[in-house]
PDB file of all heavy atoms in Angstrom:
ATOM      1  N   ASN A   3     -11.101  16.477 -11.618  1.00  0.00           N
ATOM      2  CA  ASN A   3     -11.580  16.220 -10.256  1.00  0.00           C
ATOM      3  C   ASN A   3     -10.793  15.059  -9.644  1.00  0.00           C
ATOM      4  O   ASN A   3     -11.231  13.919  -9.629  1.00  0.00           O
ATOM      5  CB  ASN A   3     -13.080  15.895 -10.281  1.00  0.00           C
ATOM      6  CG  ASN A   3     -13.619  15.599  -8.898  1.00  0.00           C
ATOM      7  OD1 ASN A   3     -13.339  16.326  -7.947  1.00  0.00           O
ATOM      8  ND2 ASN A   3     -14.385  14.515  -8.764  1.00  0.00           N
ATOM      9  N   GLU A  23      -1.960  -8.539  -9.419  1.00  0.00           N
ATOM     10  CA  GLU A  23      -2.926  -8.537 -10.514  1.00  0.00           C
ATOM     11  C   GLU A  23      -4.019  -7.485 -10.289  1.00  0.00           C
ATOM     12  O   GLU A  23      -4.450  -6.799 -11.216  1.00  0.00           O
ATOM     13  CB  GLU A  23      -3.581  -9.922 -10.603  1.00  0.00           C
ATOM     14  CG  GLU A  23      -3.460 -10.560 -11.973  1.00  0.00           C
ATOM     15  CD  GLU A  23      -3.908 -12.013 -11.943  1.00  0.00           C
ATOM     16  OE1 GLU A  23      -3.411 -12.769 -11.085  1.00  0.00           O
ATOM     17  OE2 GLU A  23      -4.751 -12.358 -12.774  1.00  0.00           O
ATOM     18  N   ILE A  27      -4.829  -3.742 -12.335  1.00  0.00           N
ATOM     19  CA  ILE A  27      -6.116  -3.277 -12.859  1.00  0.00           C
ATOM     20  C   ILE A  27      -6.315  -1.799 -12.511  1.00  0.00           C
ATOM     21  O   ILE A  27      -6.754  -1.004 -13.347  1.00  0.00           O
ATOM     22  CB  ILE A  27      -7.269  -4.157 -12.334  1.00  0.00           C
ATOM     23  CG1 ILE A  27      -7.145  -5.563 -12.937  1.00  0.00           C
ATOM     24  CG2 ILE A  27      -8.638  -3.527 -12.654  1.00  0.00           C
ATOM     25  CD1 ILE A  27      -8.138  -6.584 -12.409  1.00  0.00           C
ATOM     26  N   ILE A  43      -5.737  -7.214  10.711  1.00  0.00           N
ATOM     27  CA  ILE A  43      -6.464  -6.477  11.747  1.00  0.00           C
ATOM     28  C   ILE A  43      -7.207  -7.431  12.687  1.00  0.00           C
ATOM     29  O   ILE A  43      -7.451  -8.597  12.356  1.00  0.00           O
ATOM     30  CB  ILE A  43      -7.442  -5.434  11.136  1.00  0.00           C
ATOM     31  CG1 ILE A  43      -8.507  -6.094  10.260  1.00  0.00           C
ATOM     32  CG2 ILE A  43      -6.669  -4.382  10.352  1.00  0.00           C
ATOM     33  CD1 ILE A  43      -9.601  -5.124   9.806  1.00  0.00           C
ATOM     34  N   LYS A  45     -10.576  -8.503  15.094  1.00  0.00           N
ATOM     35  CA  LYS A  45     -12.023  -8.468  14.872  1.00  0.00           C
ATOM     36  C   LYS A  45     -12.609  -7.137  15.363  1.00  0.00           C
ATOM     37  O   LYS A  45     -13.513  -6.581  14.733  1.00  0.00           O
ATOM     38  CB  LYS A  45     -12.705  -9.640  15.579  1.00  0.00           C
ATOM     39  CG  LYS A  45     -14.147  -9.756  15.137  1.00  0.00           C
ATOM     40  CD  LYS A  45     -14.988 -10.701  15.947  1.00  0.00           C
ATOM     41  CE  LYS A  45     -16.426 -10.589  15.487  1.00  0.00           C
ATOM     42  NZ  LYS A  45     -17.398 -11.052  16.476  1.00  0.00           N
ATOM     43  N   HIS A  55     -22.464  -1.056   9.106  1.00  0.00           N
ATOM     44  CA  HIS A  55     -23.241  -2.276   8.839  1.00  0.00           C
ATOM     45  C   HIS A  55     -23.662  -3.005  10.117  1.00  0.00           C
ATOM     46  O   HIS A  55     -24.101  -4.148  10.055  1.00  0.00           O
ATOM     47  CB  HIS A  55     -22.423  -3.237   7.967  1.00  0.00           C
ATOM     48  CG  HIS A  55     -22.206  -2.741   6.572  1.00  0.00           C
ATOM     49  ND1 HIS A  55     -23.243  -2.399   5.730  1.00  0.00           N
ATOM     50  CD2 HIS A  55     -21.074  -2.525   5.866  1.00  0.00           C
ATOM     51  CE1 HIS A  55     -22.745  -1.992   4.564  1.00  0.00           C
ATOM     52  NE2 HIS A  55     -21.429  -2.050   4.626  1.00  0.00           N
ATOM     53  N   PRO A  59     -27.617  -8.385   9.196  1.00  0.00           N
ATOM     54  CA  PRO A  59     -27.474  -9.779   9.632  1.00  0.00           C
ATOM     55  C   PRO A  59     -26.084 -10.367   9.345  1.00  0.00           C
ATOM     56  O   PRO A  59     -25.649 -11.280  10.040  1.00  0.00           O
ATOM     57  CB  PRO A  59     -28.550 -10.533   8.837  1.00  0.00           C
ATOM     58  CG  PRO A  59     -28.933  -9.629   7.718  1.00  0.00           C
ATOM     59  CD  PRO A  59     -28.687  -8.221   8.195  1.00  0.00           C
ATOM     60  N   VAL A  75      -4.341  -2.716   2.442  1.00  0.00           N
ATOM     61  CA  VAL A  75      -5.108  -1.464   2.399  1.00  0.00           C
ATOM     62  C   VAL A  75      -4.336  -0.451   1.558  1.00  0.00           C
ATOM     63  O   VAL A  75      -3.118  -0.342   1.674  1.00  0.00           O
ATOM     64  CB  VAL A  75      -5.408  -0.911   3.818  1.00  0.00           C
ATOM     65  CG1 VAL A  75      -6.357  -1.820   4.551  1.00  0.00           C
ATOM     66  CG2 VAL A  75      -4.144  -0.717   4.636  1.00  0.00           C
ATOM     67  N   GLU A  79      -5.534   7.138  -6.034  1.00  0.00           N
ATOM     68  CA  GLU A  79      -5.750   8.535  -6.408  1.00  0.00           C
ATOM     69  C   GLU A  79      -5.925   8.659  -7.906  1.00  0.00           C
ATOM     70  O   GLU A  79      -5.210   8.008  -8.680  1.00  0.00           O
ATOM     71  CB  GLU A  79      -4.550   9.381  -5.963  1.00  0.00           C
ATOM     72  CG  GLU A  79      -4.758  10.874  -6.207  1.00  0.00           C
ATOM     73  CD  GLU A  79      -3.569  11.687  -5.720  1.00  0.00           C
ATOM     74  OE1 GLU A  79      -3.427  11.867  -4.496  1.00  0.00           O
ATOM     75  OE2 GLU A  79      -2.777  12.124  -6.574  1.00  0.00           O
ATOM     76  N   ALA A  85     -15.762   6.824  -7.665  1.00  0.00           N
ATOM     77  CA  ALA A  85     -16.638   6.143  -8.629  1.00  0.00           C
ATOM     78  C   ALA A  85     -15.841   5.232  -9.560  1.00  0.00           C
ATOM     79  O   ALA A  85     -16.299   4.130  -9.911  1.00  0.00           O
ATOM     80  CB  ALA A  85     -17.422   7.177  -9.440  1.00  0.00           C
ATOM     81  N   GLY A  92     -16.946  -3.732  -9.526  1.00  0.00           N
ATOM     82  CA  GLY A  92     -18.159  -4.453  -9.904  1.00  0.00           C
ATOM     83  C   GLY A  92     -19.106  -4.626  -8.724  1.00  0.00           C
ATOM     84  O   GLY A  92     -18.789  -4.235  -7.601  1.00  0.00           O
ATOM     85  N   GLY A 109     -13.883 -12.688  -7.505  1.00  0.00           N
ATOM     86  CA  GLY A 109     -14.767 -12.894  -6.353  1.00  0.00           C
ATOM     87  C   GLY A 109     -15.258 -14.333  -6.282  1.00  0.00           C
ATOM     88  O   GLY A 109     -15.535 -14.958  -7.305  1.00  0.00           O
ATOM     89  N   ILE A 112     -20.611 -13.666  -2.272  1.00  0.00           N
ATOM     90  CA  ILE A 112     -20.981 -12.306  -1.848  1.00  0.00           C
ATOM     91  C   ILE A 112     -20.140 -11.851  -0.648  1.00  0.00           C
ATOM     92  O   ILE A 112     -19.847 -10.665  -0.516  1.00  0.00           O
ATOM     93  CB  ILE A 112     -22.495 -12.182  -1.566  1.00  0.00           C
ATOM     94  CG1 ILE A 112     -22.906 -10.704  -1.434  1.00  0.00           C
ATOM     95  CG2 ILE A 112     -22.924 -13.014  -0.380  1.00  0.00           C
ATOM     96  CD1 ILE A 112     -24.370 -10.446  -1.595  1.00  0.00           C
ATOM     97  N   HIS A 118     -12.716  -4.288  -1.182  1.00  0.00           N
ATOM     98  CA  HIS A 118     -13.581  -3.251  -0.616  1.00  0.00           C
ATOM     99  C   HIS A 118     -13.231  -1.938  -1.302  1.00  0.00           C
ATOM    100  O   HIS A 118     -12.064  -1.704  -1.634  1.00  0.00           O
ATOM    101  CB  HIS A 118     -13.333  -3.087   0.890  1.00  0.00           C
ATOM    102  CG  HIS A 118     -13.930  -1.826   1.450  1.00  0.00           C
ATOM    103  ND1 HIS A 118     -15.242  -1.741   1.853  1.00  0.00           N
ATOM    104  CD2 HIS A 118     -13.408  -0.571   1.603  1.00  0.00           C
ATOM    105  CE1 HIS A 118     -15.498  -0.491   2.252  1.00  0.00           C
ATOM    106  NE2 HIS A 118     -14.396   0.239   2.106  1.00  0.00           N
TER     107      HIS A 118
END
Side-chain angles (χ1 to χ4, degrees):
N3 179 46
E23 235 170 308
I27 292 174
I43 61 172
K45 191 191 174 201
H55 292 304
V75 293
E79 185 178 285
I112 193 161
H118 166 85

